[in-house]
Amino acid sequence: MVKTVIIEAHGGPEQLRIVDREVGDPGKREIRIRHHACGLNFIDCYQRSGLYPMEMPAALGMEAAGVVEAVGEGVTHLKPGDRAAYACVPPGAYAQARVMPAAQVCPLPDEISFEQGAAMMLKGLTTHYLFRRTTPIKKGDTVLFHAAAGGVGLIACQWARSEGIRLIATAGSDEKCALAVENGAEVCINYRTQDWAARVKELTGGVDVVMDSVGADTFEGSLDCLKPLGFMISFGNASGPVPPFEIAKLAQKGSLKLTRPTLFAHIADHATCQQMAAELFEKVTSGAVKIRIDQRFPLEDVADAHRALEARKTTGQTVLTL
């Protein structure tokens, strides 16, 4: 029996419950993994709240790191005793151990700790597809990145710096802005005290790409910050989902391009997922990207972790400890 976090109805953090569940043995193309740490992400809150509906009862959590205990038939890239980390469906990472599909579980280099592995997979692989798989971004291009002091944001700031990409950031406090600049942003605008869209246009005249995980609060302003033919990547809903809008606005604002990607579409193929993870691990082991863990919560305090994340009281990465 292992402790597992579930919900039995959508709602607030008070819906999170810890129950004892049997783990069992892995089936074909599955593994059993014993977690050492689990990651915390906004998608967990979206699933809990019902923004992303789930069948009840539902286990939560999309990323973790630990040691492989057993492998099922057909699993060749992992073996018992291997260190491993993942970010993938189905949910269920908020647990001491689980049986799960093996394809998107990745061997974890010895140089990367379990906490780092748990903290970096979803956010790091998201950064990978934003910069390398969504639209061509080359050295010297300018990117506007919202919520730059968060989990994805701090990795993105470092990633951009390592590849010579100019990153203009926004964040919600002077302290968060300083953190983004420390990690590689050219400048960070406090959106609570400044007209961030006007400031971006003043600094750049228009950016090549916007990477926006905030959603409703920043969508219109983000479109206004793009230069003609610019590319808008809307990849999250921290302030709520983007409301419907007239697609003709993209033409009116300069033949803009817009996409709403998900990580799980990018990593659905086993070989692609493993290659993306290898490139992410290289960024970390080379020192180009450092994984900053600013908050740790015991698994039993998962509701407090959700409250802190939704109140935007966190910076960098947050992990649940076991």
Side-chain angles (χ1 to χ4, degrees):
M1 304 293 285
V2 299
K3 295 187 182 303
T4 301
V5 176
I6 67 165
I7 56 172
E8 295 178 324
H10 291 300
E14 70 279 358
Q15 296 293 341
L16 296 162
R17 296 182 53 225
I18 296 180
V19 299
D20 289 324
R21 280 185 165 183
E22 290 190 15
V23 181
D25 295 320
K28 189 174 183 179
R29 292 189 289 275
E30 291 183 331
I31 65 163
R32 185 174 70 239
I33 183 169
R34 175 72 54 172
H35 293 151
H36 285 236
C38 312
L40 179 75
N41 297 281
F42 266 108
I43 190 173
D44 308 341
C45 301
Y46 302 157
Q47 291 171 342
R48 188 211 70 228
S49 70
L51 180 62
Y52 296 172
M54 303 174 70
E55 292 186 9
M56 298 295 137
L60 291 184
M62 304 300 291
E63 68 177 342
V67 175
V68 177
E69 290 188 329
V71 302
E73 179 187 349
V75 178
T76 60
H77 70 292
L78 294 165
K79 64 183 186 304
D82 281 353
R83 305 171 80 252
Y86 65 86
C88 62
V89 292
Y94 290 178
Q96 292 174 319
R98 68 184 294 200
V99 168
M100 63 181 297
Q104 279 68 45
V105 182
C106 305
L108 184 67
D110 291 341
E111 301 95 317
I112 299 175
S113 72
F114 289 119
E115 285 195 353
Q116 289 173 319
M120 69 185 279
M121 292 300 288
L122 192 145
K123 303 169 197 72
L125 291 172
T126 295
T127 303
H128 184 291
Y129 85 67
L130 289 172
F131 281 92
R132 292 196 174 173
R133 292 177 54 84
T134 307
T135 188
I137 303 174
K138 63 184 184 301
K139 182 177 181 179
D141 283 351
T142 302
V143 170
L144 169 61
F145 199 101
H146 292 296
V152 179
L154 290 184
I155 296 175
C157 289
Q158 297 175 78
W159 193 291
R161 179 172 58 188
S162 74
E163 300 196 346
I165 296 163
R166 184 186 185 198
L167 189 141
I168 308 298
T170 72
S173 70
D174 290 343
E175 293 77 15
K176 288 186 175 183
C177 284
L179 187 58
V181 171
E182 177 187 330
N183 279 269
E186 178 180 300
V187 63
C188 187
I189 303 160
N190 184 337
Y191 63 78
R192 298 187 189 278
T193 60
Q194 298 182 62
D195 182 339
W196 60 267
R199 181 64 174 143
V200 169
K201 286 183 280 189
E202 177 187 335
L203 287 167
T204 67
V207 301
D208 298 289
V209 178
V210 176
M211 300 177 179
D212 187 348
S213 64
V214 175
D217 288 354
T218 52
F219 183 77
E220 288 286 347
S222 292
L223 291 179
D224 289 338
C225 289
L226 284 165
K227 63 175 58 172
L229 307 181
F231 203 109
M232 170 76 170
I233 308 172
S234 176
F235 70 101
N237 321 279
S239 67
V242 174
F245 79 106
E246 292 292 334
I247 195 169
K249 284 186 178 182
L250 299 178
Q252 296 162 6
K253 293 177 182 292
S255 296
L256 304 181
K257 298 176 282 284
L258 168 66
T259 187
R260 179 54 173 92
T262 67
L263 170 63
F264 305 113
H266 281 279
I267 64 172
D269 175 72
H270 166 73
T272 300
C273 177
Q274 298 296 322
Q275 180 61 34
M276 289 173 65
E279 293 176 10
L280 171 62
F281 294 151
E282 193 280 329
K283 283 284 190 187
V284 174
T285 57
S286 71
V289 170
K290 293 180 171 57
I291 304 302
R292 176 183 174 125
I293 300 172
D294 288 342
Q295 298 83 211
R296 293 172 173 83
F297 293 85
L299 185 67
E300 292 78 7
D301 294 339
V302 62
D304 290 336
H306 273 231
R307 293 185 184 100
L309 183 63
E310 290 182 302
R312 302 191 194 181
K313 293 181 178 179
T314 65
T315 57
Q317 323 295 331
T318 303
V319 297
L320 302 174
T321 58
L322 298 164

